[in-house]
Amino acid sequence: GNSVTQMEGPVTLSEEAFLTINCTYTATGYPSLFWYVQYPGEGLQLLLKATKADDKGSNKGFEATYRKETTSFHLEKGSVQVSDSAVYFCALKTQTGGYQKVTFGIGTKLQVIP
Amino acid sequence: DSGVTQTPKHLITATGQRVTLRCSPRSGDLSVYWYQQSLDQGLQFLIHYYNGEERAKGNILERFSAQQFPDLHSELNLSSLELGDSALYFCASSVDSGVPNEQFFGPGTRLTVL
């Protein structure tokens, strides 16, 4: 079956530090890959996505590259801000015969301190 | 604002009771997904409806059921509630045009079972 493995948090960084949150996956077929962000007290929001190998998704300074050879989709940001403090979920979606299946990682909590 | 609405925002009830959670998808979205987010289990996919029909089932208990109505809103029914059912329940919608795309999440319903 499909699975998503994320690094466990919490991850605590100082403002302007470099961020990497690792995500690896196993899936049948050719999944689309997503990063969602959940700010405190809110629902999940799509942060970025990539639908095929070597695609790079980017948004709000975050980026992630779909690496088929290593089955990874690591999230990176060059300089984090306090406002980036949230929980980040890596997810994959596969579609077979019109049936979609979405699998999420456990989420990684990021805390950015001033 | 994702365009997905969920009611109620908070629900407090007792063990053994039954509750109904409601979700209205974004205008034009045919797919509705339900998720349960608990502290120890992370984000779990429950069920997916497309244009009124059940499309996929995840880790949904037999005590739980869902339906999608002709106007595309969806309801998640939770019965014989147990303490462990306390969680955030999210609804998400997508266009589901046949190619992988993102899901838009509602703000969630926080269920507390006492």
Side-chain angles (χ1 to χ4, degrees):
Chain A
N2 298 340
S3 68
V4 176
T5 303
Q6 278 182 248
M7 58 189 296
E8 291 202 22
V11 174
T12 303
L13 294 174
S14 297
E15 210 166 17
E16 299 184 2
F18 185 86
L19 168 72
T20 300
I21 299 179
N22 290 337
C23 171
T24 57
Y25 66 90
T26 58
T28 54
Y30 299 93
S32 291
L33 302 175
F34 305 84
W35 277 100
Y36 284 86
V37 58
Q38 184 180 26
Y39 297 103
E42 298 184 14
L44 281 74
Q45 301 172 30
L46 178 68
L47 181 59
L48 52 84
K49 69 175 181 178
T51 57
K52 61 182 188 297
D54 300 325
D55 269 3
K56 178 185 282 188
S58 60
N59 185 26
K60 298 182 181 179
F62 292 89
E63 57 182 36
T65 302
Y66 190 145
R67 301 286 187 201
K68 194 169 186 295
E69 64 276 12
T70 54
T71 61
S72 65
F73 194 54
H74 304 323
L75 181 69
E76 296 182 336
K77 186 174 185 182
S79 175
V80 293
Q81 305 300 312
V82 172
S83 57
D84 294 326
S85 298
V87 181
Y88 292 82
F89 292 89
C90 184
L92 69 85
K93 177 185 288 188
T94 56
Q95 184 154 340
T96 306
Y99 286 73
Q100 290 190 4
K101 183 173 181 179
V102 181
T103 306
F104 283 84
I106 60 170
T108 302
K109 185 174 183 178
L110 170 65
Q111 296 174 319
V112 180
I113 53 178
Chain B
D1 184 359
S2 67
V4 178
T5 59
Q6 288 186 249
T7 56
K9 283 189 177 179
H10 303 276
L11 200 49
I12 302 174
T13 188
T15 54
Q17 296 299 304
R18 171 190 170 93
V19 297
T20 298
L21 312 184
R22 183 188 168 100
C23 168
S24 292
R26 292 188 322 154
S27 176
D29 285 358
L30 299 179
S31 267
V32 170
Y33 305 79
W34 285 98
Y35 296 88
Q36 179 192 58
Q37 185 180 34
S38 57
L39 281 176
D40 56 346
Q41 294 289 326
L43 196 67
Q44 300 282 321
F45 166 65
L46 295 179
I47 198 163
H48 168 210
Y49 275 84
Y50 174 75
N51 204 21
E53 292 186 2
E54 181 185 303
R55 274 301 183 95
K57 265 188 178 180
N59 300 322
I60 188 167
L61 300 172
E62 286 194 11
R63 300 183 285 108
F64 296 0
S65 65
Q67 54 183 330
Q68 186 179 28
F69 294 87
D71 67 353
L72 301 177
H73 91 271
S74 177
E75 292 181 355
L76 178 67
N77 300 297
L78 315 176
S79 61
S80 303
L81 285 169
E82 301 175 359
L83 295 177
D85 297 328
S86 296
L88 260 175
Y89 291 84
F90 286 105
C91 162
S93 74
S94 71
V95 170
D96 205 9
S97 61
V99 296
N101 51 46
E102 60 263 37
Q103 297 178 13
F104 294 85
F105 283 75
T109 293
R110 181 172 292 281
L111 173 66
T112 303
V113 182
L114 301 175

